[in-house]
Amino acid sequence: MKKEIAKLMDFRSDVRVIDATMRDGGLVNDFYFTDEFVKDLYFANIRAGVDYMEFGYKASRELFDENKYGKWKFCKDEDIRAVVGDNASDLKIAVMADVGRTNLNDILPKEESPIDLIRVATYLHTIPGAVKMIEDAAAKGYETTCNIMAISNARESDTMAALEMLAQTPAECLYIVDSYGALYPEQMARVADRFLEVAAKYNKKVGIHAHNNQQLAFANTIEAVGDGVDWLDATYATMGRGAGNCAMELLLGFLKNPKYNVYPVIQFIDKHMTQLKKDGIIWGYDLQYLMTGLLNQHPRTAIAFTKEGRKDYTQFYKELVVQDD
Amino acid sequence: MKKEIAKLMDFRSDVRVIDATMRDGGLVNDFYFTDEFVKDLYFANIRAGVDYMEFGYKASRELFDENKYGKWKFCKDEDIRAVVGDNASDLKIAVMADVGRTNLNDILPKEESPIDLIRVATYLHTIPGAVKMIEDAAAKGYETTCNIMAISNARESDTMAALEMLAQTPAECLYIVDSYGALYPEQMARVADRFLEVAAKYNKKVGIHAHNNQQLAFANTIEAVGDGVDWLDATYATMGRGAGNCAMELLLGFLKNPKYNVYPVIQFIDKHMTQLKKDGIIWGYDLQYLMTGLLNQHPRTAIAFTKEGRKDYTQFYKELVVQDD
């Protein structure tokens, strides 16, 4: 069904914009952001009217070596507090916690922490683990949401069963994550319908986290918001793993709520993102990501291609299509 | 209305893919393509199953200095013939003719020419000129289509009047051209409805030529094809003016007709487009084009910004928003 004209001109106040630059972008530079970058991003988000800023992961220090990653892989409360103080702003603070890669003891009671929202990320085969983490975080006083990753190769029956389980937790928002950047907007609309059907039953919200393998991260995000999806992830200059994400500067240009303002985003990109690219940090749409997206594959081969500085696209395509499935 | 699932899995045999790399891309390098590039592109298109290859413009040599442009600005019949011979293939040959910038005497009778299709490009205020050119080309024996440029700032009533006039010419396809890359897919769907309404009445086809200012050229193209638009322009690696066009490699990956094949496109990009970029030819999505797209402006200021090698996005944004309208 076409969106009503009025909906294109007006806005829905339930929409929330989540800046995932440091979390998904951290996967590109191993979370080594300068303190100036983080501070400037925090203030840019406040000025831009962004609703949540995701600082990174709460990753287990038993699984990941603290000497091999920047501090935002772990998001200790004191590191966040060094940036935001008491966070006297409307911007809320989020971190991501992966099922199976998080030590729940690292998540302190909410009253001791600057964090507002714990975003639990799960695959379809680890839903009970996600349920446990959501309940733990909610019991500690946090807002919670849940990201279901790699949705493009999930069977709908499995997705529906997972949604039913997650909708009965305290998680306030269930996220569609197109990890492989494989969905077309028409398919996204259908996935959103499934999520919205369950969400309506349990009074939950639906979110979207898109990847740009086929230059569709923004298109899929605005398709979804038109369908009734409320929580929208974006990153500055699309910074994120592989082909990157929905660009914050595109999304804020599209959203009509006057609380959003694209200008601070442009200023931040001008000051910091251009420099990151100059420093040799590589992300964003390129042919190798198109190929894995098209083939509905995890982008790990394309990321390796990029890291090795390869440019032999033809050879890479051959490797992808002749490999045994 | 959602497209039927079957339509996403199956294909519509009326769809036509037009390679506009040398025409829209020629605007970036003043049409200086090497003979090897052109020959390889011709064979890549044949192998990829592309339906039409647009070689460039039939521009008036009274208006444009032949010494300041490559030969594909003028597309003399003998230059095309040097590439295609008798064109013993299913690939048809197209050129673009701009209203007011073409000398009709340069368009010879079809039986003397390797060209199959004359694509007339017009603004809304030059429709009678377009009608005259279409009739001239059709009388000479060519297929004809008509591109209506800058559709995003046209009043719908003017567009409808223009479509009624053009639909009564021999032009077999009427093209939506989002010159400013300003339309969102929802808006594209509405524009397509208008075009399709008139086209149905006169038994015409509708086409789309999109620009990538907001990373939506591909998204708008697949939105349109889902709505019933049949003729689809694309360019290799998005090469085209400013932010470029819908990527051929994305489009052929999406289309399900087995006659299309993305592999020769990847091979061509690998051999030629990477080199063009290395040679300093600049096109494609960047912040300055996002800004003009967002503001629904002609990209000329963004193109100048690019040509001057500027990177001061913040200052450019200020220039755009403080300028007198």
Side-chain angles (χ1 to χ4, degrees):
Chain A
M1 196 155 66
K2 284 220 173 58
K3 290 79 174 170
E4 295 162 37
I5 289 261
K7 288 194 181 165
L8 289 174
M9 277 289 177
D10 207 347
F11 66 88
R12 197 163 71 235
S13 57
D14 284 348
V15 167
R16 299 284 175 271
V17 173
I18 293 83
D19 167 36
T21 306
M22 286 174 55
R23 203 270 308 160
D24 212 316
L27 295 168
V28 178
N29 72 345
D30 292 335
F31 303 90
Y32 287 113
F33 295 102
T34 66
D35 291 347
E36 187 192 15
F37 181 103
V38 179
K39 202 119 193 168
D40 284 353
L41 184 59
Y42 172 68
F43 286 111
N45 277 325
I46 291 172
R47 290 170 54 223
V50 167
D51 298 285
Y52 290 83
M53 173 169 167
E54 191 178 37
F55 272 70
Y57 284 94
K58 272 279 186 196
S60 163
R61 282 166 281 162
E62 293 166 347
L63 277 172
F64 299 96
D65 184 345
E66 277 193 89
N67 298 313
K68 292 192 175 154
Y69 296 95
K71 56 190 167 191
W72 306 108
K73 177 88 174 174
F74 307 99
C75 285
K76 291 181 196 160
D77 287 1
E78 64 258 35
D79 288 331
I80 296 177
R81 216 184 288 278
V83 178
V84 308
D86 293 330
N87 185 28
S89 78
D90 291 335
L91 177 69
K92 291 186 174 180
I93 310 299
V95 295
M96 182 160 279
D98 277 348
V99 175
R101 296 180 202 152
T102 310
N103 183 341
L104 291 186
N105 295 328
D106 292 337
I107 299 175
L108 304 180
K110 164 74 191 108
E111 60 267 24
E112 300 169 30
S113 170
I115 297 167
D116 298 288
L117 168 65
I118 304 286
R119 308 217 299 169
V120 173
T122 180
Y123 288 104
L124 270 184
H125 61 275
T126 53
I127 299 295
V131 169
K132 184 182 160 202
M133 287 175 65
I134 292 164
E135 287 174 346
D136 175 81
K140 286 172 178 163
Y142 294 96
E143 297 177 43
T144 53
T145 61
C146 188
N147 283 18
I148 307 181
M149 297 186 285
I151 204 72
S152 63
N153 66 0
R155 287 187 300 276
E156 276 118 332
S157 54
D158 287 346
T159 303
M160 290 304 275
L163 287 172
E164 283 285 339
M165 289 171 73
L166 293 169
Q168 296 176 55
T169 71
E172 57 191 289
C173 179
L174 306 176
Y175 256 90
I176 305 163
V177 184
D178 181 17
S179 304
Y180 304 164
L183 294 177
Y184 296 112
E186 267 297 306
Q187 298 171 307
M188 182 57 75
R190 289 169 198 284
V191 174
D193 278 355
R194 301 273 173 156
F195 274 66
L196 287 163
E197 185 189 324
V198 179
K201 203 161 69 168
Y202 294 94
N203 198 26
K204 303 290 186 186
K205 296 293 187 182
V206 177
I208 175 169
H209 180 88
H211 277 271
N212 209 28
N213 296 59
Q214 300 192 76
Q215 292 191 9
L216 291 174
F218 174 52
N220 278 329
T221 302
I222 62 180
E223 168 64 44
V225 73
D227 297 331
V229 169
D230 278 328
W231 289 49
L232 314 176
D233 282 13
T235 66
Y236 284 58
T238 81
M239 188 178 188
R241 189 167 67 168
N245 300 109
C246 172
M248 180 67 79
E249 56 276 21
L250 290 167
L251 184 61
L252 294 193
F254 171 81
L255 294 173
K256 300 290 178 290
N257 188 333
K259 74 169 273 203
Y260 296 121
N261 180 10
V262 74
Y263 185 52
V265 179
I266 289 166
Q267 288 180 299
F268 182 89
I269 293 172
D270 197 351
K271 179 171 177 188
H272 287 289
M273 303 311 268
T274 310
Q275 188 59 46
L276 275 191
K277 294 232 170 194
K278 266 192 205 152
D279 294 345
I281 308 296
I282 301 173
W283 74 88
Y285 172 82
D286 201 348
L287 273 189
Q288 63 274 32
Y289 299 116
L290 179 170
M291 296 176 201
T292 59
L294 201 54
L295 298 169
N296 195 11
Q297 292 181 2
H298 192 287
R300 63 175 68 87
T301 52
I303 291 169
F305 177 94
T306 309
K307 278 204 172 159
E308 290 162 20
R310 287 176 61 181
K311 293 279 176 194
D312 53 332
Y313 301 113
T314 304
Q315 175 58 29
F316 181 66
Y317 186 76
K318 279 198 252 182
E319 290 167 17
L320 288 181
V321 295
V322 303
Q323 74 189 354
D324 293 328
D325 280 323
Chain B
M1 197 154 69
K2 286 221 171 58
K3 290 79 173 170
E4 293 162 36
I5 289 264
K7 288 194 181 166
L8 288 173
M9 276 289 176
D10 206 348
F11 66 88
R12 197 163 71 234
S13 58
D14 284 349
V15 166
R16 300 284 176 269
V17 173
I18 293 83
D19 167 37
T21 306
M22 287 174 56
R23 204 271 307 159
D24 213 315
L27 295 169
V28 178
N29 71 346
D30 292 335
F31 303 90
Y32 287 112
F33 295 102
T34 66
D35 290 348
E36 188 192 14
F37 181 103
V38 179
K39 203 119 193 170
D40 285 352
L41 184 59
Y42 171 68
F43 286 111
N45 277 326
I46 291 172
R47 291 172 53 223
V50 166
D51 299 284
Y52 290 83
M53 174 171 168
E54 190 178 37
F55 272 71
Y57 284 95
K58 272 280 185 196
S60 163
R61 281 166 282 162
E62 292 165 347
L63 276 173
F64 298 95
D65 183 345
E66 277 194 89
N67 297 314
K68 292 192 175 153
Y69 295 95
K71 56 191 167 190
W72 306 108
K73 176 89 174 173
F74 307 99
C75 284
K76 290 181 196 161
D77 287 1
E78 65 259 34
D79 289 330
I80 295 176
R81 216 184 290 276
V83 178
V84 308
D86 293 330
N87 186 27
S89 79
D90 292 334
L91 177 69
K92 291 185 173 182
I93 309 300
V95 296
M96 182 158 279
D98 277 348
V99 176
R101 297 179 200 151
T102 310
N103 183 340
L104 291 187
N105 294 328
D106 291 338
I107 299 175
L108 305 179
K110 164 72 191 112
E111 60 267 24
E112 300 170 29
S113 170
I115 298 167
D116 298 288
L117 168 65
I118 304 285
R119 308 217 299 168
V120 173
T122 181
Y123 288 103
L124 270 184
H125 62 274
T126 54
I127 298 295
V131 169
K132 185 182 160 203
M133 286 174 65
I134 292 164
E135 288 174 346
D136 174 82
K140 287 171 178 164
Y142 293 97
E143 297 177 43
T144 54
T145 60
C146 187
N147 282 17
I148 308 181
M149 297 185 285
I151 204 72
S152 63
N153 65 0
R155 286 187 300 277
E156 276 117 332
S157 54
D158 287 348
T159 303
M160 291 304 276
L163 287 172
E164 283 286 338
M165 289 171 72
L166 293 169
Q168 295 176 57
T169 70
E172 58 191 289
C173 179
L174 306 176
Y175 255 91
I176 304 163
V177 184
D178 181 17
S179 304
Y180 303 164
L183 294 177
Y184 296 112
E186 268 296 306
Q187 298 171 307
M188 182 57 75
R190 289 169 199 285
V191 173
D193 279 354
R194 302 271 173 158
F195 274 66
L196 288 163
E197 184 188 324
V198 178
K201 202 161 68 170
Y202 294 94
N203 200 24
K204 303 291 187 185
K205 296 292 187 183
V206 177
I208 175 169
H209 179 88
H211 277 271
N212 209 27
N213 296 60
Q214 300 192 77
Q215 291 191 8
L216 292 173
F218 174 53
N220 278 329
T221 301
I222 63 180
E223 168 64 45
V225 73
D227 297 329
V229 168
D230 278 327
W231 289 50
L232 313 176
D233 282 12
T235 67
Y236 284 58
T238 81
M239 189 179 189
R241 188 166 69 168
N245 299 109
C246 172
M248 180 68 80
E249 57 276 21
L250 289 168
L251 184 61
L252 294 194
F254 172 82
L255 294 173
K256 300 289 179 289
N257 189 333
K259 73 171 273 202
Y260 297 121
N261 179 9
V262 74
Y263 185 52
V265 179
I266 289 166
Q267 288 180 299
F268 183 88
I269 292 172
D270 198 351
K271 179 170 177 190
H272 287 288
M273 303 312 267
T274 309
Q275 189 58 46
L276 274 191
K277 293 233 170 191
K278 267 192 205 152
D279 295 344
I281 308 296
I282 301 172
W283 73 89
Y285 172 81
D286 202 349
L287 273 190
Q288 64 273 32
Y289 299 117
L290 179 170
M291 296 178 201
T292 59
L294 201 52
L295 298 168
N296 195 10
Q297 293 181 1
H298 192 287
R300 63 175 69 84
T301 52
I303 291 168
F305 177 95
T306 309
K307 278 204 171 160
E308 291 161 20
R310 287 176 61 182
K311 292 281 175 193
D312 53 333
Y313 300 114
T314 304
Q315 175 59 28
F316 181 67
Y317 187 76
K318 279 199 250 183
E319 289 166 19
L320 288 181
V321 295
V322 303
Q323 74 189 354
D324 294 329
D325 278 323

